[in-house]
Amino acid sequence: MTDSVFFDSDCISSFLWVRYENLLTKLYPGKIVIPKPVYDELSYPGIAHLRARVDTLLSAGQAQVEAIITGTETYALYYQLTVAPHGGHVIIGKGEAASISLAKSSDGIVASNNLKDISSYILL
Amino acid sequence: MVVPMDNLDLWKKAVSLRKLLGEDSTSAIDIFVLAYDIDLLSIVYYPMGEHISGICVKGYGNNVIAINSLMTLGRQRFSMAHELYHLYFDDDQPTTICSKRIGAGGEKEHQADQFASYLLMPPNALSEMIKRIKKDASGKLSAQDVVRLEQYFGVSRQAILFRLIGENELTSQEAEPMRQNVISSAVSLGYNDTLYKPTPEDKRYKTYGFYVQQAEKALEQGLISSGKHEELLLSAYRSDLVYGDQVEGGEVLD
């Protein structure tokens, strides 16, 4: 059984731009998680059409938004990745960091198309 | 045209800023193009509602000017010139939030309005234009003359009337009817209506200048990931830089 799939902004956007997010709902029914920071990034003015497509997925129950609660281990990792990365690492985006942190806390899968920046944090 | 003693200093400041930005003291200017070139300045366009025209925030090492994109282009140009006064010559407050009504507010706001007027419409240039378009030297400016002036200097009707009343070229009573039917008065003379329209809806949120340069620099220097770079751009309303323009056919080089 497939674990939950935590999408970063760029990855989910790629499907939303070409209007093929239905591929994801077919491949991972009930497993699609949009981290709250990713949802927030998709809510900026100028890309309202992407946010609208995500909202359709959410209202149909085909995806869910998951927030990161402060004071948790997940938040500590998220903070580390976005604000104070350990030696040799660069600051990564909130969307990427949220998908990594949430996936780690629930043994899930990170969905990203930016391997270069996150490869050192994940198991392939 | 005689500049009142009280305003001489503001005129000098306007001339000095023109010089600093590489402009002569009389030509009509594209204030946005000049502002984009100012070091350490980020320019944000944001729909700020009905009452605020612009905001100037002076920081250590970087400054921000925000312009209300719901205002007409002509009014936005005046607002940019007004905020440049706060940026360069107003040491009272690090942050200034400015009213949409020209001539309203305290002393600094009056000074910034007058400065903006001089920066966009230098007294000698305005005087020359008035001489050129007036039917006879002793006559009054007509509504058509006012359109020609605002089109030449690229300012809003409110801004040109504010100035012409201040210069005693018009009385408030004469100016009042000119505040109506602004767009039709210009298009009927053959001008396009760009000056009198707000920023198109898809461009009302944008950030230009130093912020974008700094985000790029941080990426180039390996301080942030490309995902962080995209996040910085998205939070500055630059989805066009992340996803590209949604214009078919790509850019045109002509």
Side-chain angles (χ1 to χ4, degrees), chain A residues 3 16 19-21 24-25 28 34 37 41 43 69 71 77-78 80-81 85-86 88 90-91 93 97-98 104 118-119:
Chain A
D3 296 315
L16 296 169
R19 302 178 182 190
Y20 271 106
E21 64 273 17
L24 299 175
T25 59
Y28 308 111
I34 314 287
E41 279 188 20
S43 301
I69 312 297
L77 177 57
Y78 173 73
Q80 178 199 317
L81 298 176
H86 289 168
V90 298
I91 292 172
K104 182 170 185 276
I118 65 163
S119 58

mmCIF file of all heavy atoms in Angstrom, chain A residues 3 16 19-21 24-25 28 34 37 41 43 69 71 77-78 80-81 85-86 88 90-91 93 97-98 104 118-119:
data_model
loop_
_atom_site.group_PDB
_atom_site.id
_atom_site.type_symbol
_atom_site.label_atom_id
_atom_site.label_comp_id
_atom_site.label_asym_id
_atom_site.label_seq_id
_atom_site.Cartn_x
_atom_site.Cartn_y
_atom_site.Cartn_z
ATOM 1 N N ASP A 3 2.256 4.888 0.714
ATOM 2 C CA ASP A 3 2.133 5.865 1.803
ATOM 3 C C ASP A 3 1.627 7.185 1.242
ATOM 4 O O ASP A 3 1.561 7.388 0.029
ATOM 5 C CB ASP A 3 3.511 6.071 2.434
ATOM 6 C CG ASP A 3 4.029 4.787 3.078
ATOM 7 O OD1 ASP A 3 3.241 4.135 3.777
ATOM 8 O OD2 ASP A 3 5.216 4.474 2.865
ATOM 9 N N LEU A 16 -0.738 20.974 -12.276
ATOM 10 C CA LEU A 16 -1.847 21.937 -12.317
ATOM 11 C C LEU A 16 -1.783 22.807 -13.576
ATOM 12 O O LEU A 16 -2.812 23.098 -14.187
ATOM 13 C CB LEU A 16 -1.806 22.844 -11.078
ATOM 14 C CG LEU A 16 -2.010 22.143 -9.725
ATOM 15 C CD1 LEU A 16 -1.675 23.102 -8.584
ATOM 16 C CD2 LEU A 16 -3.443 21.638 -9.588
ATOM 17 N N ARG A 19 -3.078 20.995 -16.408
ATOM 18 C CA ARG A 19 -4.433 20.508 -16.096
ATOM 19 C C ARG A 19 -4.527 18.983 -16.127
ATOM 20 O O ARG A 19 -5.503 18.424 -16.631
ATOM 21 C CB ARG A 19 -5.448 21.126 -17.061
ATOM 22 C CG ARG A 19 -5.418 22.628 -17.002
ATOM 23 C CD ARG A 19 -6.357 23.249 -17.962
ATOM 24 N NE ARG A 19 -6.267 24.693 -17.913
ATOM 25 C CZ ARG A 19 -7.100 25.525 -18.502
ATOM 26 N NH1 ARG A 19 -8.106 25.038 -19.187
ATOM 27 N NH2 ARG A 19 -6.957 26.813 -18.400
ATOM 28 N N TYR A 20 -3.450 18.348 -15.656
ATOM 29 C CA TYR A 20 -3.449 16.895 -15.610
ATOM 30 C C TYR A 20 -3.313 16.377 -14.181
ATOM 31 O O TYR A 20 -2.746 15.314 -13.962
ATOM 32 C CB TYR A 20 -2.324 16.345 -16.494
ATOM 33 C CG TYR A 20 -2.758 16.125 -17.927
ATOM 34 C CD1 TYR A 20 -2.344 16.985 -18.937
ATOM 35 C CD2 TYR A 20 -3.605 15.061 -18.267
ATOM 36 C CE1 TYR A 20 -2.757 16.810 -20.247
ATOM 37 C CE2 TYR A 20 -4.017 14.867 -19.576
ATOM 38 C CZ TYR A 20 -3.588 15.750 -20.568
ATOM 39 O OH TYR A 20 -3.998 15.572 -21.862
ATOM 40 N N GLU A 21 -3.838 17.107 -13.209
ATOM 41 C CA GLU A 21 -3.755 16.641 -11.826
ATOM 42 C C GLU A 21 -4.590 15.379 -11.609
ATOM 43 O O GLU A 21 -4.402 14.654 -10.633
ATOM 44 C CB GLU A 21 -4.158 17.747 -10.837
ATOM 45 C CG GLU A 21 -5.585 18.223 -10.916
ATOM 46 C CD GLU A 21 -5.769 19.340 -11.944
ATOM 47 O OE1 GLU A 21 -4.895 19.513 -12.798
ATOM 48 O OE2 GLU A 21 -6.807 20.006 -11.890
ATOM 49 N N LEU A 24 -2.663 12.305 -10.958
ATOM 50 C CA LEU A 24 -2.237 12.075 -9.570
ATOM 51 C C LEU A 24 -3.345 11.413 -8.761
ATOM 52 O O LEU A 24 -3.093 10.512 -7.960
ATOM 53 C CB LEU A 24 -1.846 13.410 -8.914
ATOM 54 C CG LEU A 24 -0.685 14.159 -9.579
ATOM 55 C CD1 LEU A 24 -0.479 15.519 -8.905
ATOM 56 C CD2 LEU A 24 0.585 13.329 -9.487
ATOM 57 N N THR A 25 -4.561 11.887 -8.978
ATOM 58 C CA THR A 25 -5.670 11.306 -8.192
ATOM 59 C C THR A 25 -5.914 9.853 -8.594
ATOM 60 O O THR A 25 -6.391 9.061 -7.801
ATOM 61 C CB THR A 25 -6.964 12.127 -8.378
ATOM 62 O OG1 THR A 25 -7.326 12.146 -9.756
ATOM 63 C CG2 THR A 25 -6.782 13.550 -7.884
ATOM 64 N N TYR A 28 -2.593 8.010 -7.030
ATOM 65 C CA TYR A 28 -2.498 8.023 -5.560
ATOM 66 C C TYR A 28 -3.827 8.421 -4.918
ATOM 67 O O TYR A 28 -3.914 9.433 -4.217
ATOM 68 C CB TYR A 28 -1.409 9.010 -5.119
ATOM 69 C CG TYR A 28 -0.075 8.803 -5.799
ATOM 70 C CD1 TYR A 28 0.404 9.727 -6.715
ATOM 71 C CD2 TYR A 28 0.698 7.664 -5.541
ATOM 72 C CE1 TYR A 28 1.619 9.540 -7.359
ATOM 73 C CE2 TYR A 28 1.906 7.468 -6.179
ATOM 74 C CZ TYR A 28 2.359 8.407 -7.092
ATOM 75 O OH TYR A 28 3.574 8.208 -7.733
ATOM 76 N N ILE A 34 -1.121 18.109 0.424
ATOM 77 C CA ILE A 34 -0.554 19.418 0.082
ATOM 78 C C ILE A 34 -0.148 20.080 1.400
ATOM 79 O O ILE A 34 -1.006 20.475 2.181
ATOM 80 C CB ILE A 34 -1.597 20.338 -0.606
ATOM 81 C CG1 ILE A 34 -2.375 19.598 -1.706
ATOM 82 C CG2 ILE A 34 -0.941 21.622 -1.112
ATOM 83 C CD1 ILE A 34 -1.628 19.317 -2.951
ATOM 84 N N PRO A 37 2.307 25.205 3.743
ATOM 85 C CA PRO A 37 3.148 26.213 3.072
ATOM 86 C C PRO A 37 3.071 26.128 1.543
ATOM 87 O O PRO A 37 3.221 27.141 0.859
ATOM 88 C CB PRO A 37 4.568 25.892 3.566
ATOM 89 C CG PRO A 37 4.352 25.227 4.885
ATOM 90 C CD PRO A 37 3.106 24.400 4.697
ATOM 91 N N GLU A 41 1.798 29.065 -0.975
ATOM 92 C CA GLU A 41 2.538 29.540 -2.155
ATOM 93 C C GLU A 41 1.645 29.569 -3.389
ATOM 94 O O GLU A 41 1.799 30.414 -4.265
ATOM 95 C CB GLU A 41 3.753 28.651 -2.426
ATOM 96 C CG GLU A 41 4.940 28.997 -1.556
ATOM 97 C CD GLU A 41 6.207 28.246 -1.939
ATOM 98 O OE1 GLU A 41 6.306 27.741 -3.065
ATOM 99 O OE2 GLU A 41 7.097 28.155 -1.074
ATOM 100 N N SER A 43 -1.337 30.318 -3.339
ATOM 101 C CA SER A 43 -2.410 31.286 -3.094
ATOM 102 C C SER A 43 -2.002 32.720 -3.421
ATOM 103 O O SER A 43 -2.787 33.645 -3.239
ATOM 104 C CB SER A 43 -2.842 31.217 -1.620
ATOM 105 O OG SER A 43 -3.292 29.920 -1.313
ATOM 106 N N ILE A 69 2.608 21.836 12.942
ATOM 107 C CA ILE A 69 2.283 22.401 14.262
ATOM 108 C C ILE A 69 3.571 22.818 14.967
ATOM 109 O O ILE A 69 4.527 22.039 15.028
ATOM 110 C CB ILE A 69 1.543 21.364 15.148
ATOM 111 C CG1 ILE A 69 0.396 20.697 14.356
ATOM 112 C CG2 ILE A 69 1.049 21.998 16.442
ATOM 113 C CD1 ILE A 69 -0.690 21.644 13.908
ATOM 114 N N GLY A 71 6.277 23.553 17.805
ATOM 115 C CA GLY A 71 6.616 22.807 19.013
ATOM 116 C C GLY A 71 6.780 21.314 18.771
ATOM 117 O O GLY A 71 7.145 20.569 19.678
ATOM 118 N N LEU A 77 12.340 20.311 12.419
ATOM 119 C CA LEU A 77 13.041 19.986 11.173
ATOM 120 C C LEU A 77 12.741 21.036 10.105
ATOM 121 O O LEU A 77 13.637 21.485 9.381
ATOM 122 C CB LEU A 77 12.612 18.595 10.677
ATOM 123 C CG LEU A 77 13.212 18.146 9.339
ATOM 124 C CD1 LEU A 77 14.740 18.164 9.375
ATOM 125 C CD2 LEU A 77 12.705 16.756 8.951
ATOM 126 N N TYR A 78 11.473 21.417 10.019
ATOM 127 C CA TYR A 78 11.061 22.451 9.047
ATOM 128 C C TYR A 78 11.847 23.737 9.280
ATOM 129 O O TYR A 78 12.362 24.355 8.337
ATOM 130 C CB TYR A 78 9.553 22.685 9.203
ATOM 131 C CG TYR A 78 8.991 23.823 8.399
ATOM 132 C CD1 TYR A 78 8.839 23.737 7.022
ATOM 133 C CD2 TYR A 78 8.584 25.004 9.025
ATOM 134 C CE1 TYR A 78 8.311 24.786 6.286
ATOM 135 C CE2 TYR A 78 8.052 26.059 8.309
ATOM 136 C CZ TYR A 78 7.922 25.944 6.937
ATOM 137 O OH TYR A 78 7.399 26.985 6.218
ATOM 138 N N GLN A 80 14.725 24.051 10.797
ATOM 139 C CA GLN A 80 16.142 23.833 10.458
ATOM 140 C C GLN A 80 16.366 23.985 8.950
ATOM 141 O O GLN A 80 17.306 24.648 8.509
ATOM 142 C CB GLN A 80 16.550 22.425 10.903
ATOM 143 C CG GLN A 80 18.006 22.072 10.562
ATOM 144 C CD GLN A 80 18.240 20.569 10.571
ATOM 145 O OE1 GLN A 80 17.760 19.880 11.480
ATOM 146 N NE2 GLN A 80 18.951 20.066 9.591
ATOM 147 N N LEU A 81 15.511 23.383 8.164
ATOM 148 C CA LEU A 81 15.690 23.404 6.712
ATOM 149 C C LEU A 81 15.468 24.788 6.108
ATOM 150 O O LEU A 81 16.110 25.153 5.123
ATOM 151 C CB LEU A 81 14.714 22.411 6.053
ATOM 152 C CG LEU A 81 14.879 20.934 6.417
ATOM 153 C CD1 LEU A 81 13.778 20.102 5.772
ATOM 154 C CD2 LEU A 81 16.240 20.422 5.992
ATOM 155 N N PRO A 85 19.965 25.819 8.299
ATOM 156 C CA PRO A 85 20.417 24.491 7.844
ATOM 157 C C PRO A 85 21.786 24.137 8.413
ATOM 158 O O PRO A 85 22.597 25.025 8.675
ATOM 159 C CB PRO A 85 20.469 24.645 6.328
ATOM 160 C CG PRO A 85 20.625 26.096 6.081
ATOM 161 C CD PRO A 85 19.934 26.799 7.210
ATOM 162 N N HIS A 86 21.994 22.854 8.613
ATOM 163 C CA HIS A 86 23.294 22.428 9.127
ATOM 164 C C HIS A 86 24.367 22.627 8.058
ATOM 165 O O HIS A 86 24.049 22.795 6.878
ATOM 166 C CB HIS A 86 23.215 20.976 9.571
ATOM 167 C CG HIS A 86 22.389 20.797 10.820
ATOM 168 N ND1 HIS A 86 21.977 19.574 11.285
ATOM 169 C CD2 HIS A 86 21.887 21.708 11.687
ATOM 170 C CE1 HIS A 86 21.252 19.748 12.392
ATOM 171 N NE2 HIS A 86 21.185 21.034 12.648
ATOM 172 N N GLY A 88 27.023 23.148 5.304
ATOM 173 C CA GLY A 88 27.107 22.653 3.935
ATOM 174 C C GLY A 88 25.798 22.682 3.174
ATOM 175 O O GLY A 88 25.783 22.526 1.961
ATOM 176 N N VAL A 90 22.224 24.552 1.897
ATOM 177 C CA VAL A 90 21.656 25.881 1.664
ATOM 178 C C VAL A 90 20.227 25.908 2.218
ATOM 179 O O VAL A 90 19.634 24.869 2.483
ATOM 180 C CB VAL A 90 21.625 26.242 0.159
ATOM 181 C CG1 VAL A 90 23.022 26.279 -0.408
ATOM 182 C CG2 VAL A 90 20.743 25.286 -0.625
ATOM 183 N N ILE A 91 19.715 27.120 2.401
ATOM 184 C CA ILE A 91 18.318 27.284 2.824
ATOM 185 C C ILE A 91 17.421 26.824 1.687
ATOM 186 O O ILE A 91 17.612 27.230 0.544
ATOM 187 C CB ILE A 91 18.039 28.764 3.160
ATOM 188 C CG1 ILE A 91 18.805 29.159 4.425
ATOM 189 C CG2 ILE A 91 16.558 29.016 3.325
ATOM 190 C CD1 ILE A 91 18.763 30.643 4.730
ATOM 191 N N GLY A 93 13.380 26.054 0.120
ATOM 192 C CA GLY A 93 12.070 26.703 0.119
ATOM 193 C C GLY A 93 11.132 26.096 1.154
ATOM 194 O O GLY A 93 11.273 24.928 1.532
ATOM 195 N N ALA A 97 10.706 22.183 2.156
ATOM 196 C CA ALA A 97 10.985 21.828 3.554
ATOM 197 C C ALA A 97 9.756 21.213 4.218
ATOM 198 O O ALA A 97 9.867 20.244 4.984
ATOM 199 C CB ALA A 97 11.424 23.071 4.325
ATOM 200 N N ALA A 98 8.597 21.748 3.928
ATOM 201 C CA ALA A 98 7.374 21.215 4.544
ATOM 202 C C ALA A 98 7.095 19.803 4.055
ATOM 203 O O ALA A 98 6.701 18.932 4.845
ATOM 204 C CB ALA A 98 6.202 22.131 4.211
ATOM 205 N N LYS A 104 8.715 12.886 6.570
ATOM 206 C CA LYS A 104 9.557 12.183 7.564
ATOM 207 C C LYS A 104 8.729 11.787 8.781
ATOM 208 O O LYS A 104 8.848 10.676 9.279
ATOM 209 C CB LYS A 104 10.715 13.087 7.984
ATOM 210 C CG LYS A 104 11.669 12.422 8.976
ATOM 211 C CD LYS A 104 12.932 13.228 9.189
ATOM 212 C CE LYS A 104 13.921 12.491 10.075
ATOM 213 N NZ LYS A 104 13.674 12.668 11.500
ATOM 214 N N ILE A 118 17.111 18.701 -2.738
ATOM 215 C CA ILE A 118 16.595 17.916 -1.602
ATOM 216 C C ILE A 118 17.226 16.536 -1.476
ATOM 217 O O ILE A 118 16.980 15.821 -0.521
ATOM 218 C CB ILE A 118 15.056 17.753 -1.694
ATOM 219 C CG1 ILE A 118 14.660 16.914 -2.918
ATOM 220 C CG2 ILE A 118 14.356 19.095 -1.713
ATOM 221 C CD1 ILE A 118 13.246 16.395 -2.832
ATOM 222 N N SER A 119 18.091 16.183 -2.453
ATOM 223 C CA SER A 119 18.605 14.806 -2.485
ATOM 224 C C SER A 119 19.346 14.425 -1.205
ATOM 225 O O SER A 119 19.305 13.267 -0.783
ATOM 226 C CB SER A 119 19.503 14.597 -3.706
ATOM 227 O OG SER A 119 20.566 15.511 -3.671
#
